Amino acid sequence: MTMEFTDRLTRVEPSATLAISALATELEQDGADVVDLSVGEPDFPTPQNIVDAGQDAMDAGHTGYTTSAGILELREAIADKLAADGLDHGPEEIIVTPGAKQALYEIVQALIQDGDEVALLDPAWVSYEAMVKMAGGDLTRVDLSDSDFQLEPALDDLAAAVSDETELLIVNSPSNPTGAVYTDAALEGVRDLAVEHDITVISDEIYKEITYGVEPTSLGTFDGMADRTITVNGFSKAYSMTGWRLGYFAGPQDLIDQAGKLHSHSVSSAVNFVQHAGVEALENTDDAVAQMVDAFGQRRELVIDLLDDHDVDVAVPDGAFYMMLPVADDDQAWCEGALEDAHVATVPGSAFGTPGYARISYAASEERLEEGIERLAEEDYL
Ligand SMILES: Cc1ncc(COP(=O)(O)O)c(C=O)c1O
């Protein structure tokens, strides 16, 4: 039988990163020692207090469905966290999701339909494009690669790209894949354009807690943004909880009500005991988070120094645990070659809409980072 698939899925390409991870797996099966700098997750275990809270919650019988939007205790803890960031959302304006990815999916589904225009700042995290395309939207892309991935110098380009036709703009600061943290002046520029053209903005703040010497401002705190910003965050990165699948979004009540329908008819709710672990993460884990951020900061310095030894300049990231390495124009071929010859896995910039770069994740031990960069240099990839 030949199955007929929907347009919304045939519009979406398989991820360009898949080719790299398939090749890495093949090499590892053949016995190669691959230095994997392609991963988008912290290499630390989930802090023990969070694990204990999850286990205790299971033991206490928190294993049934919860209210669809999430347990009140967690939504209250999230509301407190958002308030500390200057955002005013009560628990009723928050939906807890199985990961920030599901939050983004629900928001895009709630706001975007055939022909709606969505603006992205490139390079942009891979799933934004796929989510918009699945919803039937059209993409307008603004390239930040000429301004060291900073938005402030590229505000004129953003102004030229958006119009009254633009429905949604997605801002991700600190950014995956660049690590860039946008300045307040850049975010004010976003605000001015959003207000002028009546654009809704998603502020994906999943790396907000992972920064080096800068304090990112939440976009929703700027005058005029409270009723047009949807703030997305999650537990995967700051608390090293990728596999637990826990995230959330907060926004205006009408958006929450509409997206809540999709949420309740698809995932029902996030996992009950995981939500209890999330309360512990938000309330009692600051020291462990600070230690992880400290370690990422040291690795960031190490990678920059090692690249500098090989005369490679990168745009210094102020957040997340990624940086963009300038490579050959054909970045896909560069990444495949680096993997085959040096056994170092990276992600091609074209996967994020910006060819000519490879994304390095420094969520790896200092020894592995040293080993990876040494091998790239030895095989003439630097
Ligand atoms: C920018 C960005 N947003 C959202 C997510 C989704 O994270 P999760 O679904 O694990 O919470 C990721 C994960 O890589 C990301 O990099």
Side-chain angles (χ1 to χ4, degrees), residues 23-352:
L23 190 54
T25 310
E26 225 174 86
L27 285 167
E28 275 171 342
Q29 278 165 353
D30 290 347
D33 168 36
V34 174
V35 177
D36 193 351
L37 306 184
S38 72
V39 286
E41 61 181 341
D43 55 324
F44 300 107
T46 304
Q48 193 57 43
N49 61 312
I50 302 175
V51 175
D52 290 345
Q55 282 171 347
D56 289 350
M58 247 190 280
D59 289 341
H62 295 300
T63 53
Y65 294 127
T66 71
T67 44
S68 183
I71 58 171
L72 184 60
E73 200 187 347
L74 178 56
R75 284 182 293 126
E76 282 173 347
I78 292 167
D80 288 347
K81 184 255 186 275
L82 294 174
D85 291 341
L87 295 165
D88 181 18
H89 289 289
E92 69 289 348
E93 289 182 337
I94 294 167
I95 293 182
V96 176
T97 52
K101 194 179 252 182
Q102 176 71 16
L104 289 158
Y105 182 79
E106 290 176 11
I107 299 161
V108 171
Q109 284 291 319
L111 293 173
I112 299 305
Q113 56 194 355
D114 280 347
D116 285 346
E117 188 187 297
V118 181
L120 291 186
L121 303 169
D122 276 341
W125 179 53
V126 288
S127 294
Y128 299 141
E129 173 181 342
M131 288 178 191
V132 170
K133 283 185 172 170
M134 285 191 280
D138 296 326
L139 287 159
T140 300
R141 314 190 70 133
V142 179
D143 180 15
L144 305 185
S145 59
D146 283 342
S147 53
D148 272 353
F149 308 117
Q150 276 297 332
L151 174 58
E152 194 181 332
L155 279 174
D156 286 346
D157 296 338
L158 180 61
V162 297
S163 70
D164 291 351
E165 297 301 303
T166 310
E167 204 71 44
L168 180 68
L169 167 67
I170 305 182
V171 176
N172 170 219
S173 171
S175 153
N176 176 7
T178 69
V181 176
Y182 301 145
T183 60
D184 282 5
L187 299 181
E188 275 166 19
V190 167
R191 184 270 316 276
D192 292 347
L193 291 167
V195 170
E196 179 186 345
H197 298 296
D198 199 19
I199 301 169
T200 301
V201 184
I202 293 177
S203 183
D204 180 349
E205 303 186 358
I206 192 156
Y207 295 99
K208 190 173 192 294
E209 281 65 45
I210 305 174
T211 55
Y212 316 106
V214 295
E215 272 288 323
T217 310
S218 285
L219 192 49
T221 62
F222 288 89
D223 276 352
M225 290 306 284
D227 66 347
R228 63 177 68 253
T229 305
I230 304 149
T231 303
V232 174
N233 207 328
F235 294 73
S236 287
K237 316 292 175 169
Y239 302 103
S240 199
M241 291 176 69
T242 48
W244 295 69
R245 312 308 302 130
L246 192 64
Y248 58 88
F249 60 105
Q253 193 65 59
D254 49 352
L255 177 274
I256 295 295
D257 293 344
Q258 293 300 322
K261 291 193 269 183
L262 176 62
H263 185 74
S264 66
H265 286 303
S266 54
V267 295
S268 294
S269 71
V271 174
N272 191 336
F273 47 85
V274 168
Q275 295 185 53
H276 286 272
V279 175
E280 174 69 16
L282 285 175
E283 291 183 347
N284 294 312
T285 319
D286 289 358
D287 290 349
V289 173
Q291 277 170 22
M292 288 191 270
V293 173
D294 222 39
F296 287 137
Q298 283 171 26
R299 295 160 178 193
R300 178 188 76 137
E301 299 297 325
L302 174 74
V303 173
I304 290 167
D305 286 350
L306 290 170
L307 291 173
D308 189 53
D309 290 344
H310 297 286
D311 296 323
V312 179
D313 258 348
V314 289
V316 175
D318 284 324
F321 35 73
Y322 310 108
M323 63 180 80
M324 291 294 259
L325 184 67
V327 300
D329 288 348
D330 187 346
D331 53 299
Q332 182 80 30
W334 187 94
C335 287
E336 281 169 23
L339 184 52
E340 270 164 11
D341 302 336
H343 294 169
V344 176
T346 56
V347 182
S350 48
F352 307 97

